[in-house]
Coordinates of all heavy atoms in Angstrom, one line a residue:
P1145 N 0.8 -1.2 0.0 CA 0.0 0.0 0.0 C 0.9 1.3 0.0 O 2.0 1.3 0.5 CB -0.8 -0.1 1.3 CG -0.5 -1.4 1.9 CD 0.6 -2.0 1.2
D1146 N 0.3 2.3 -0.6 CA 1.0 3.6 -0.6 C 0.1 4.6 0.2 O -1.1 4.5 0.3 CB 1.0 4.1 -2.0 CG 1.8 3.2 -3.0 OD1 2.8 2.7 -2.6 OD2 1.3 2.9 -4.1
L1147 N 0.8 5.6 0.8 CA 0.2 6.7 1.5 C -1.0 6.2 2.5 O -2.1 6.2 2.1 CB -0.4 7.7 0.5 CG -0.8 9.0 1.1 CD1 0.4 9.8 1.7 CD2 -1.4 9.9 0.0
I1148 N -0.6 5.8 3.6 CA -1.5 5.3 4.6 C -1.9 6.5 5.6 O -1.0 7.2 6.0 CB -0.9 4.2 5.4 CG1 -0.6 3.0 4.5 CG2 -1.9 3.7 6.5 CD1 0.2 1.9 5.1
S1149 N -3.1 6.6 6.0 CA -3.6 7.6 6.9 C -4.7 7.1 7.9 O -5.7 6.5 7.4 CB -4.1 8.8 6.1 OG -4.4 9.9 7.0
L1150 N -4.4 7.3 9.2 CA -5.4 6.9 10.2 C -6.5 8.0 10.2 O -6.3 9.2 10.2 CB -4.7 6.8 11.5 CG -5.6 6.3 12.7 CD1 -6.0 4.9 12.5 CD2 -4.8 6.5 14.0
L1151 N -7.8 7.5 10.2 CA -8.9 8.4 10.3 C -9.0 9.1 11.7 O -8.5 8.4 12.7 CB -10.2 7.7 10.0 CG -10.6 7.7 8.5 CD1 -9.7 6.8 7.7 CD2 -12.0 7.2 8.4
P1152 N -9.5 10.3 11.8 CA -9.6 11.0 13.1 C -10.3 10.2 14.2 O -9.9 10.3 15.4 CB -10.3 12.2 12.8 CG -10.0 12.5 11.4 CD -10.0 11.1 10.7
D1153 N -11.2 9.3 13.9 CA -11.9 8.5 14.9 C -11.0 7.3 15.4 O -11.4 6.6 16.3 CB -13.3 8.0 14.4 CG -13.2 7.0 13.2 OD1 -12.1 6.6 12.9 OD2 -14.2 6.7 12.7
E1154 N -9.9 7.1 14.7 CA -8.9 6.1 15.1 C -9.5 4.6 15.0 O -8.9 3.7 15.5 CB -8.3 6.3 16.4 CG -7.6 7.6 16.5 CD -6.9 7.9 17.8 OE1 -7.0 7.0 18.8 OE2 -6.3 8.9 18.0
R1155 N -10.6 4.5 14.3 CA -11.2 3.1 14.1 C -10.9 2.5 12.8 O -11.0 1.3 12.6 CB -12.7 3.2 14.3 CG -13.1 3.5 15.8 CD -14.6 3.4 15.9 NE -15.2 4.5 15.2 CZ -16.5 4.8 15.1 NH1 -17.3 3.9 15.6 NH2 -16.9 5.8 14.4
S1156 N -10.4 3.3 11.8 CA -10.1 2.9 10.5 C -9.0 3.7 9.9 O -8.6 4.7 10.5 CB -11.4 3.1 9.6 OG -12.5 2.5 10.1
Y1157 N -8.4 3.1 8.9 CA -7.4 3.9 8.1 C -7.6 3.7 6.6 O -8.3 2.8 6.2 CB -6.0 3.4 8.5 CG -5.7 1.9 8.2 CD1 -5.0 1.6 7.0 CD2 -6.0 0.9 9.0 CE1 -4.8 0.3 6.6 CE2 -5.8 -0.4 8.7 CZ -5.1 -0.7 7.5 OH -4.8 -2.0 7.2
S1158 N -7.2 4.7 5.9 CA -7.3 4.6 4.4 C -5.9 4.6 3.8 O -4.9 5.0 4.4 CB -8.1 5.8 3.9 OG -7.4 7.0 4.2
Y1159 N -5.9 4.0 2.6 CA -4.6 3.9 2.0 C -4.8 3.7 0.5 O -5.9 3.3 0.0 CB -3.8 2.7 2.5 CG -4.5 1.3 2.3 CD1 -4.2 0.5 1.2 CD2 -5.4 0.9 3.3 CE1 -4.9 -0.7 1.1 CE2 -6.1 -0.3 3.1 CZ -5.8 -1.1 2.0 OH -6.4 -2.4 1.9
F1160 N -3.8 4.1 -0.3 CA -3.9 3.9 -1.7 C -3.2 2.5 -2.0 O -2.2 2.2 -1.5 CB -3.1 4.9 -2.5 CG -3.8 6.2 -2.6 CD1 -3.3 7.4 -2.1 CD2 -5.0 6.3 -3.3 CE1 -4.0 8.6 -2.2 CE2 -5.7 7.5 -3.5 CZ -5.2 8.6 -2.9
D1161 N -3.9 1.7 -2.9 CA -3.3 0.5 -3.4 C -3.4 0.5 -4.9 O -4.5 0.4 -5.4 CB -4.1 -0.7 -2.8 CG -3.5 -2.0 -3.1 OD1 -2.4 -2.1 -3.7 OD2 -4.2 -3.1 -2.8
G1162 N -2.3 0.9 -5.5 CA -2.3 1.1 -6.9 C -3.2 2.3 -7.2 O -3.0 3.4 -6.6
G1163 N -4.2 2.2 -8.1 CA -5.1 3.3 -8.4 C -6.3 3.4 -7.6 O -7.3 4.1 -8.0
S1164 N -6.3 2.7 -6.5 CA -7.6 2.6 -5.7 C -7.3 3.1 -4.3 O -6.3 2.9 -3.7 CB -8.0 1.1 -5.5 OG -8.2 0.6 -6.8
L1165 N -8.4 3.8 -3.7 CA -8.4 4.2 -2.3 C -9.2 3.2 -1.6 O -10.3 2.9 -1.9 CB -9.0 5.6 -2.2 CG -9.2 6.2 -0.8 CD1 -7.8 6.5 -0.2 CD2 -10.0 7.4 -0.8
M1166 N -8.5 2.7 -0.5 CA -9.1 1.6 0.3 C -9.4 2.1 1.7 O -8.7 3.0 2.2 CB -8.2 0.4 0.3 CG -7.7 -0.1 -1.1 SD -9.0 -0.8 -2.0 CE -9.3 -2.3 -1.2
L1167 N -10.3 1.4 2.4 CA -10.6 1.7 3.8 C -10.6 0.4 4.5 O -11.2 -0.6 4.1 CB -12.0 2.3 4.0 CG -12.4 2.7 5.4 CD1 -11.6 3.9 5.9 CD2 -13.9 3.0 5.4
A1168 N -9.9 0.3 5.7 CA -9.7 -0.9 6.5 C -9.9 -0.6 7.9 O -9.5 0.5 8.4 CB -8.4 -1.6 6.2
P1169 N -10.4 -1.5 8.7 CA -10.5 -1.3 10.2 C -9.1 -1.3 10.8 O -8.2 -2.1 10.4 CB -11.3 -2.5 10.6 CG -11.3 -3.5 9.6 CD -11.0 -2.8 8.3
A1170 N -8.9 -0.5 11.8 CA -7.6 -0.4 12.4 C -7.2 -1.6 13.2 O -6.1 -1.9 13.4 CB -7.6 0.9 13.3
G1171 N -8.2 -2.4 13.7 CA -8.0 -3.6 14.4 C -7.7 -4.8 13.6 O -7.5 -5.9 14.1
G1172 N -7.6 -4.6 12.3 CA -7.3 -5.7 11.4 C -8.5 -6.1 10.5 O -9.7 -5.7 10.9
G1173 N -8.3 -6.7 9.5 CA -9.4 -7.1 8.6 C -9.1 -6.6 7.2 O -8.2 -5.8 6.9
K1174 N -9.9 -7.1 6.3 CA -9.8 -6.8 4.8 C -10.2 -5.4 4.5 O -11.3 -4.9 5.0 CB -10.5 -7.8 4.0 CG -10.3 -7.7 2.5 CD -10.9 -8.8 1.8 CE -10.7 -8.6 0.3 NZ -11.1 -9.6 -0.5
G1175 N -9.5 -4.7 3.7 CA -9.9 -3.3 3.2 C -11.0 -3.4 2.2 O -11.1 -4.4 1.5
R1176 N -11.7 -2.3 2.0 CA -12.8 -2.3 1.0 C -12.5 -1.1 0.1 O -12.0 -0.1 0.5 CB -14.2 -2.2 1.6 CG -14.5 -1.0 2.3 CD -16.0 -1.0 2.8 NE -16.3 0.1 3.6 CZ -16.8 1.3 3.1 NH1 -17.0 1.4 1.9 NH2 -17.0 2.3 4.0
L1177 N -12.9 -1.2 -1.1 CA -12.7 -0.2 -2.1 C -13.6 1.0 -1.9 O -14.8 0.8 -1.7 CB -12.9 -0.7 -3.5 CG -12.8 0.2 -4.7 CD1 -11.4 0.7 -4.9 CD2 -13.3 -0.4 -6.0
L1178 N -13.0 2.2 -1.8 CA -13.8 3.4 -1.7 C -13.9 4.2 -3.0 O -14.9 4.8 -3.3 CB -13.1 4.4 -0.6 CG -13.1 4.0 0.8 CD1 -12.3 4.9 1.6 CD2 -14.6 3.9 1.3
W1179 N -12.8 4.2 -3.7 CA -12.7 5.0 -4.9 C -11.6 4.5 -5.8 O -10.6 4.0 -5.3 CB -12.4 6.5 -4.5 CG -12.0 7.4 -5.6 CD1 -12.8 8.1 -6.4 CD2 -10.6 7.7 -5.9 NE1 -12.0 8.9 -7.2 CE2 -10.7 8.7 -7.0 CE3 -9.4 7.3 -5.5 CZ2 -9.6 9.2 -7.6 CZ3 -8.2 7.9 -6.1 CH2 -8.4 8.8 -7.1
Q1180 N -11.8 4.6 -7.1 CA -10.8 4.2 -8.0 C -10.5 5.4 -9.0 O -11.5 6.0 -9.4 CB -11.2 3.0 -8.8 CG -10.0 2.4 -9.6 CD -10.3 1.0 -9.9 OE1 -11.4 0.4 -9.7 NE2 -9.3 0.3 -10.5
A1181 N -9.3 5.7 -9.3 CA -9.0 6.8 -10.2 C -9.7 6.6 -11.5 O -9.9 5.4 -12.0 CB -7.5 6.9 -10.4
A1182 N -10.2 7.7 -12.1 CA -10.9 7.6 -13.4 C -10.0 7.1 -14.5 O -8.8 7.2 -14.4 CB -11.4 9.0 -13.7
A1183 N -10.6 6.5 -15.5 CA -9.8 6.0 -16.6 C -8.8 7.0 -17.2 O -9.2 8.2 -17.4 CB -10.7 5.5 -17.7
G1184 N -7.6 6.6 -17.3 CA -6.5 7.5 -17.8 C -5.9 8.3 -16.7 O -4.9 9.0 -16.9
F1185 N -6.4 8.4 -15.5 CA -5.9 9.1 -14.4 C -5.2 8.2 -13.4 O -5.5 7.0 -13.4 CB -7.0 9.9 -13.6 CG -7.5 11.1 -14.3 CD1 -8.4 11.0 -15.3 CD2 -7.0 12.4 -13.9 CE1 -8.9 12.2 -16.0 CE2 -7.5 13.5 -14.5 CZ -8.4 13.4 -15.6
E1186 N -4.3 8.8 -12.6 CA -3.7 8.0 -11.5 C -3.8 8.9 -10.2 O -3.9 10.1 -10.3 CB -2.3 7.7 -11.8 CG -1.4 8.9 -12.0 CD 0.0 8.5 -12.4 OE1 0.2 7.4 -13.1 OE2 1.0 9.2 -12.1
P1187 N -3.8 8.2 -9.0 CA -3.8 9.0 -7.8 C -2.6 9.9 -7.7 O -1.5 9.6 -8.1 CB -3.8 8.0 -6.7 CG -4.2 6.7 -7.3 CD -3.8 6.8 -8.8
G1188 N -2.8 11.1 -7.1 CA -1.8 12.1 -6.8 C -1.0 11.6 -5.6 O -1.1 10.5 -5.1
D1189 N -0.3 12.6 -5.0 CA 0.6 12.3 -3.9 C 0.0 12.6 -2.6 O 0.7 12.7 -1.5 CB 1.9 13.0 -4.1 CG 2.6 12.6 -5.3 OD1 2.5 11.4 -5.7 OD2 3.3 13.4 -5.9
A1190 N -1.3 13.0 -2.5 CA -1.9 13.4 -1.3 C -3.3 13.1 -1.1 O -4.0 12.8 -2.1 CB -1.8 14.9 -1.2
M1191 N -3.8 13.0 0.1 CA -5.2 12.9 0.4 C -5.4 13.6 1.8 O -4.4 13.8 2.5 CB -5.6 11.4 0.5 CG -5.1 10.7 1.7 SD -5.9 9.0 1.8 CE -4.5 8.1 2.5
A1192 N -6.6 14.0 2.0 CA -6.9 14.7 3.3 C -8.2 14.1 3.8 O -9.2 14.1 3.0 CB -7.0 16.2 3.0
I1193 N -8.2 13.8 5.0 CA -9.4 13.2 5.6 C -10.1 14.2 6.4 O -9.5 14.9 7.2 CB -9.1 12.0 6.5 CG1 -8.4 10.9 5.6 CG2 -10.3 11.4 7.2 CD1 -7.8 9.8 6.4
A1194 N -11.4 14.4 6.2 CA -12.2 15.4 7.0 C -12.2 15.0 8.5 O -12.2 13.8 8.8 CB -13.6 15.5 6.5
D1195 N -12.3 16.0 9.3 CA -12.3 15.8 10.8 C -13.5 14.9 11.3 O -13.4 14.3 12.3 CB -12.4 17.1 11.5 CG -11.1 17.9 11.4 OD1 -10.0 17.3 11.2 OD2 -11.1 19.1 11.7
D1196 N -14.6 14.9 10.5 CA -15.7 14.1 10.9 C -15.6 12.6 10.5 O -16.4 11.8 10.7 CB -17.0 14.6 10.3 CG -17.1 14.6 8.8 OD1 -16.1 14.1 8.1 OD2 -18.0 15.1 8.2
S1197 N -14.4 12.2 9.9 CA -14.1 10.9 9.4 C -15.2 10.3 8.4 O -15.3 9.1 8.2 CB -14.1 9.9 10.6 OG -13.0 10.2 11.5
Q1198 N -15.9 11.2 7.7 CA -16.9 10.8 6.8 C -16.5 11.0 5.3 O -17.1 10.4 4.4 CB -18.2 11.6 7.0 CG -18.8 11.4 8.4 CD -19.2 10.0 8.6 OE1 -19.9 9.4 7.9 NE2 -18.7 9.4 9.7
N1199 N -15.5 11.8 5.1 CA -15.1 12.2 3.7 C -13.6 12.3 3.5 O -12.9 12.6 4.5 CB -15.7 13.5 3.3 CG -17.2 13.5 3.3 OD1 -17.8 13.0 2.4 ND2 -17.8 14.1 4.4
V1200 N -13.1 12.0 2.3 CA -11.7 12.1 2.0 C -11.6 12.9 0.7 O -12.3 12.6 -0.3 CB -11.1 10.7 1.8 CG1 -9.6 10.8 1.4 CG2 -11.2 9.8 3.0
A1201 N -10.7 13.8 0.7 CA -10.3 14.5 -0.6 C -9.1 13.9 -1.1 O -8.1 13.7 -0.4 CB -10.1 16.0 -0.3
V1202 N -9.1 13.5 -2.4 CA -8.0 12.9 -3.1 C -7.7 13.7 -4.4 O -8.6 14.3 -4.9 CB -8.2 11.4 -3.4 CG1 -8.3 10.6 -2.1 CG2 -9.4 11.2 -4.3
V1203 N -6.4 13.7 -4.8 CA -6.0 14.3 -6.0 C -5.8 13.2 -7.0 O -5.1 12.2 -6.7 CB -4.8 15.1 -5.8 CG1 -4.3 15.7 -7.1 CG2 -5.1 16.3 -4.8
E1204 N -6.2 13.4 -8.2 CA -5.9 12.5 -9.3 C -5.3 13.3 -10.4 O -5.6 14.5 -10.6 CB -7.1 11.6 -9.8 CG -8.2 12.3 -10.4 CD -9.4 11.4 -10.8 OE1 -9.3 10.2 -10.6 OE2 -10.3 12.0 -11.3
R1205 N -4.4 12.7 -11.2 CA -3.8 13.4 -12.3 C -3.6 12.6 -13.6 O -3.5 11.3 -13.5 CB -2.4 13.9 -11.8 CG -1.4 12.8 -11.5 CD -0.1 13.4 -11.2 NE 0.9 12.3 -11.0 CZ 1.2 11.8 -9.8 NH1 0.8 12.3 -8.7 NH2 2.1 10.8 -9.8
R1206 N -3.6 13.3 -14.7 CA -3.3 12.7 -16.0 C -2.5 13.7 -16.7 O -3.0 14.8 -17.1 CB -4.6 12.4 -16.7 CG -4.3 11.8 -18.2 CD -5.6 11.4 -18.9 NE -6.5 12.6 -19.0 CZ -7.7 12.5 -19.3 NH1 -8.3 11.3 -19.3 NH2 -8.5 13.6 -19.4
G1207 N -1.2 13.4 -16.9 CA -0.3 14.4 -17.5 C -0.3 15.7 -16.7 O 0.0 15.7 -15.5
S1208 N -0.6 16.8 -17.3 CA -0.6 18.1 -16.6 C -2.0 18.4 -16.0 O -2.2 19.4 -15.3 CB -0.2 19.2 -17.5 OG -1.1 19.4 -18.6
R1209 N -3.0 17.5 -16.2 CA -4.3 17.7 -15.7 C -4.4 17.2 -14.3 O -4.0 16.1 -14.0 CB -5.2 16.9 -16.6 CG -6.5 17.3 -17.2 CD -6.6 18.5 -17.9 NE -7.9 19.1 -17.5 CZ -8.2 20.3 -17.4 NH1 -7.2 21.2 -17.6 NH2 -9.3 20.7 -17.1
H1210 N -5.0 18.0 -13.4 CA -5.2 17.6 -12.0 C -6.6 17.8 -11.6 O -7.3 18.7 -12.0 CB -4.3 18.4 -11.0 CG -2.8 18.2 -11.3 ND1 -2.2 18.8 -12.3 CD2 -1.9 17.4 -10.6 CE1 -0.9 18.4 -12.3 NE2 -0.7 17.6 -11.3
R1211 N -7.1 16.8 -10.8 CA -8.5 17.0 -10.2 C -8.5 16.7 -8.7 O -7.9 15.8 -8.3 CB -9.4 16.0 -10.9 CG -9.5 16.2 -12.4 CD -10.7 15.6 -13.1 NE -10.8 14.2 -13.1 CZ -11.6 13.5 -13.8 NH1 -12.5 14.1 -14.6 NH2 -11.7 12.2 -13.7
L1212 N -9.3 17.5 -8.0 CA -9.6 17.2 -6.6 C -10.9 16.5 -6.5 O -11.9 17.1 -7.0 CB -9.6 18.6 -5.8 CG -9.8 18.4 -4.3 CD1 -8.7 17.7 -3.7 CD2 -10.0 19.8 -3.7
V1213 N -10.9 15.4 -5.9 CA -12.1 14.5 -5.9 C -12.6 14.3 -4.4 O -11.7 14.0 -3.6 CB -11.9 13.2 -6.5 CG1 -13.2 12.3 -6.5 CG2 -11.4 13.3 -8.0
W1214 N -13.8 14.5 -4.1 CA -14.4 14.4 -2.8 C -15.1 13.0 -2.7 O -16.0 12.7 -3.5 CB -15.4 15.5 -2.6 CG -15.9 15.7 -1.2 CD1 -17.2 15.4 -0.7 CD2 -15.2 16.1 0.0 NE1 -17.3 15.7 0.6 CE2 -16.1 16.2 1.0 CE3 -13.9 16.6 0.2 CZ2 -15.8 16.6 2.3 CZ3 -13.5 17.0 1.4 CH2 -14.5 17.0 2.5
V1215 N -14.7 12.2 -1.8 CA -15.2 10.8 -1.7 C -15.8 10.6 -0.3 O -15.2 10.9 0.7 CB -14.0 9.8 -1.8 CG1 -14.5 8.4 -1.7 CG2 -13.3 10.0 -3.1
N1216 N -17.1 10.2 -0.3 CA -17.8 10.0 1.0 C -17.5 8.5 1.4 O -17.7 7.6 0.6 CB -19.3 10.2 0.8 CG -20.1 10.0 2.1 OD1 -20.1 8.9 2.7 ND2 -20.7 11.1 2.5
L1217 N -17.1 8.3 2.6 CA -16.7 7.0 3.1 C -17.8 6.1 3.3 O -17.7 4.9 3.4 CB -15.9 7.1 4.4 CG -14.6 7.9 4.3 CD1 -13.9 8.0 5.6 CD2 -13.7 7.4 3.2
K1218 N -19.0 6.6 3.3 CA -20.2 5.8 3.5 C -20.8 5.3 2.2 O -21.7 4.5 2.1 CB -21.3 6.5 4.3 CG -20.9 7.0 5.6 CD -20.8 5.9 6.6 CE -20.5 6.4 8.0 NZ -20.1 5.3 8.9
G1219 N -20.3 5.8 1.1 CA -20.7 5.4 -0.2 C -21.2 6.6 -1.0 O -21.0 7.8 -0.7
G1220 N -21.8 6.3 -2.2 CA -22.2 7.4 -3.1 C -21.2 7.7 -4.1 O -20.1 7.1 -4.1
S1221 N -21.5 8.5 -5.0 CA -20.6 8.8 -6.2 C -19.6 9.9 -5.7 O -20.0 10.9 -5.2 CB -21.4 9.4 -7.3 OG -22.3 8.4 -7.8
P1222 N -18.3 9.7 -6.1 CA -17.3 10.7 -5.8 C -17.7 12.0 -6.7 O -18.3 11.9 -7.7 CB -16.0 10.1 -6.3 CG -16.3 8.6 -6.4 CD -17.8 8.5 -6.6
K1223 N -17.3 13.1 -6.2 CA -17.5 14.4 -6.8 C -16.2 15.1 -7.2 O -15.4 15.3 -6.3 CB -18.4 15.3 -5.9 CG -19.7 14.7 -5.6 CD -20.5 15.7 -4.7 CE -21.9 15.1 -4.5 NZ -22.1 14.6 -3.2
V1224 N -16.1 15.5 -8.4 CA -14.9 16.3 -8.8 C -15.2 17.7 -8.4 O -16.2 18.3 -8.9 CB -14.7 16.2 -10.4 CG1 -13.5 17.1 -10.8 CG2 -14.4 14.7 -10.8
L1225 N -14.4 18.2 -7.5 CA -14.5 19.6 -7.0 C -13.8 20.6 -7.9 O -14.3 21.7 -8.1 CB -14.1 19.7 -5.6 CG -14.8 18.8 -4.6 CD1 -14.1 19.0 -3.2 CD2 -16.2 19.1 -4.5
I1226 N -12.6 20.3 -8.3 CA -11.8 21.2 -9.1 C -11.0 20.4 -10.1 O -10.6 19.3 -9.9 CB -10.7 21.9 -8.2 CG1 -11.4 22.7 -7.1 CG2 -9.8 22.8 -9.0 CD1 -10.4 23.2 -6.0
E1227 N -10.9 21.0 -11.3 CA -10.1 20.4 -12.4 C -9.3 21.5 -13.0 O -9.8 22.5 -13.4 CB -10.9 19.7 -13.4 CG -10.1 19.0 -14.5 CD -11.0 18.0 -15.3 OE1 -12.1 17.7 -15.0 OE2 -10.4 17.5 -16.3
C1228 N -7.9 21.3 -13.0 CA -7.1 22.4 -13.5 C -5.8 21.8 -14.1 O -5.5 20.7 -14.0 CB -6.8 23.4 -12.4 SG -6.0 22.7 -11.0
E1229 N -5.0 22.7 -14.7 CA -3.7 22.4 -15.3 C -2.6 22.5 -14.2 O -1.5 22.1 -14.4 CB -3.4 23.3 -16.5 CG -4.3 23.1 -17.6 CD -4.1 21.7 -18.3 OE1 -3.0 21.2 -18.3 OE2 -5.1 21.2 -18.9
E1230 N -2.9 23.2 -13.1 CA -1.9 23.4 -12.1 C -1.9 22.3 -11.1 O -2.9 21.7 -10.8 CB -2.2 24.7 -11.3 CG -2.2 25.9 -12.2 CD -0.8 26.3 -12.7 OE1 0.2 26.1 -12.0 OE2 -0.7 26.6 -13.9
P1231 N -0.7 21.9 -10.5 CA -0.7 20.8 -9.5 C -1.5 21.3 -8.3 O -1.5 22.4 -7.9 CB 0.8 20.7 -9.2 CG 1.5 21.2 -10.3 CD 0.6 22.3 -10.9
L1232 N -2.2 20.3 -7.7 CA -3.0 20.6 -6.5 C -2.2 20.1 -5.2 O -1.5 19.2 -5.3 CB -4.3 20.0 -6.5 CG -5.2 20.4 -7.7 CD1 -6.5 19.6 -7.8 CD2 -5.6 21.9 -7.4

């Protein structure tokens, strides 16, 4: 796994595994898929977890294109918040 981060509630952690964002219980157990980079994109070098442990912001990139994506940990469709040519 790449880029591991403990959620603020300390019950779970998220991590990148290839082009996928995963969520796993801190006490052990199998991770589940939260988000996968869009076709042609790859995850960036950062993620930020909201203080409420309900959402994660991730960056994905394709060449010089960068997007900030909002992912709800409970499910639902990820939302692209920003898309630009500048690194995020």
Side-chain angles (χ1 to χ4, degrees):
D1146 302 314
L1147 193 62
I1148 299 170
S1149 185
L1150 185 65
L1151 272 65
D1153 66 9
E1154 299 183 1
R1155 292 184 292 175
S1156 304
Y1157 64 95
S1158 62
Y1159 61 95
F1160 282 118
D1161 186 5
S1164 302
L1165 178 66
M1166 308 292 290
L1167 181 70
K1174 187 175 179 173
R1176 67 176 175 92
L1177 177 66
L1178 291 175
W1179 167 85
Q1180 190 159 7
F1185 282 81
E1186 61 184 33
D1189 298 327
M1191 71 173 146
I1193 300 170
D1195 289 340
D1196 65 4
S1197 298
Q1198 300 296 309
N1199 298 284
V1200 178
V1202 297
V1203 174
E1204 62 181 4
R1205 66 175 183 259
R1206 177 177 60 201
S1208 64
R1209 228 47 219 146
H1210 295 80
R1211 299 198 296 193
L1212 180 64
V1213 181
W1214 191 248
V1215 180
N1216 185 295
L1217 299 181
K1218 301 290 184 190
S1221 298
K1223 296 179 177 110
V1224 175
L1225 301 177
I1226 300 169
E1227 186 166 349
C1228 61
E1229 295 290 332
E1230 299 295 320
L1232 297 172

